[in-house]
Amino acid sequence: MATSKFYDALETREPAAREAALMQALAGQVRHARACTDAFAELLAAAPDRVDSRAALAALPVTRKHELLARQQHARLAGGNPFGGFSAIGWGPARRVFQSPGTLYEPEGSRADYWRMARAMHAAGFQAGELLHNSFSYHLTPAGSMMETGAHALGCTVFPGGVGNTELQLQAIHELRPQGYVGTPSFLKIMLDKSEGQALSIRKAMVSGEAFPASLRDWLIERGVQGYQCYATADIGLIAYETSAREGLVIDEGVIVEIVRPGTGDPVPEGEVGELVVTTLNPDYPLIRFGTGDLSAILPGACPTGRTNQRIKGWMGRADQSAKVKGMFVHASQIAELLRRFPEAKRGRLVVEGEMASDRMTLKLEVAEAAEGLATRVTEALRDITKLRGDVQLMAPGSLPNDGRVIEDLRKFD
């Protein structure tokens, strides 16, 4: 049960105590995943018997969404496990099953607050005894259930508005007078715009599913609504959530987050932008090193609210970058391979310019000390890896922006 300020004592643990608990849980989760799922029995076959450190975790393979999809599709065609061997539960223990674009399927187990959303909703100010208007979808995708089960764990009542039917949803808000809203920020704005001057009872909101710029946050505040965002996926559930400090998103207590160099599984230094990789401690769907494909970065220090877990900057774009150059795709993983060959290069970015049919590639590398002939060797490696010709530009450390971009396509196609 939530306390007045924090959801539970986990949020204010000493960081060292949290890390020790997470690493102990990680060791058990890896053993469980190998023993109870066919997919991880194969993917982690070469892993050590005990994985109980960040370094040991970083040595495991990253599973990305396209690999998850491929295994699911293959298993379904063969009449096997519809979850591709990643789920540790089947029909019965799985209360619901949801569908994401692709098509991917995710199980929902029977535990209360299965997606762990109550923690984020508490941080947004939701309290027991309140009525919440939930405008996330209740069919196909899990967002509606994510929010509803979290609200129930807090002791809230939920009106399942779902998506669309704006006039009917507005009627319900006027007549039921909910204190809170959960859904996309854009739909909340639509309803406020269409209320035609009639004041709405909503004073707090948990939003997700799309960008929540500061301009919209301030627009809502001007109309008496305090809106907070959370970052969640259909595969993992809650990953991080905003607090009243509004300084980044605090990582949930039920996941282990890494930031890795796009195209690799290699962790980057704190503060550097990279792909957000998540290991969930959910025993029903034990995804280990799941690559979200989203860019973010770890913020230094702790949250001013007193929560002691790490914080991320939030969503900063997509990590699965590629560009088609002279009819051939160049991927972030290829640039990562090139950087592995030249460890003196700390950061790299492939810039693609030109007009249709006259593409030009320039690989920009940050190098502290360039050995003689380095640019020539890198040029040859670039052609070897991508099968394309390109120029190489050596730059001083810190010259490239810290935005996670590995491939920058500056071409304009009219």
Side-chain angles (χ1 to χ4, degrees), residues 83 89-98 106-112 114 145 149 284:
F83 301 118
I89 59 174
W91 310 139
R95 293 282 182 87
R96 297 183 181 91
V97 58
F98 292 103
E106 300 96 10
E108 179 185 83
S110 59
R111 293 191 314 281
Y114 179 81
S145 185
T149 52
D284 297 344

Side-chain angles (χ1 to χ4, degrees), residues 49 55 138 243 247 288 362:
D49 292 337
Y138 273 79
T243 71
E247 295 184 11
I288 308 295
T362 302

Side-chain angles (χ1 to χ4, degrees), residues 61-73:
V62 174
T63 298
R64 293 191 167 81
K65 193 177 288 283
H66 68 89
E67 297 168 310
L68 187 65
L69 175 61
R71 283 181 176 266
Q72 283 202 6
Q73 290 174 332

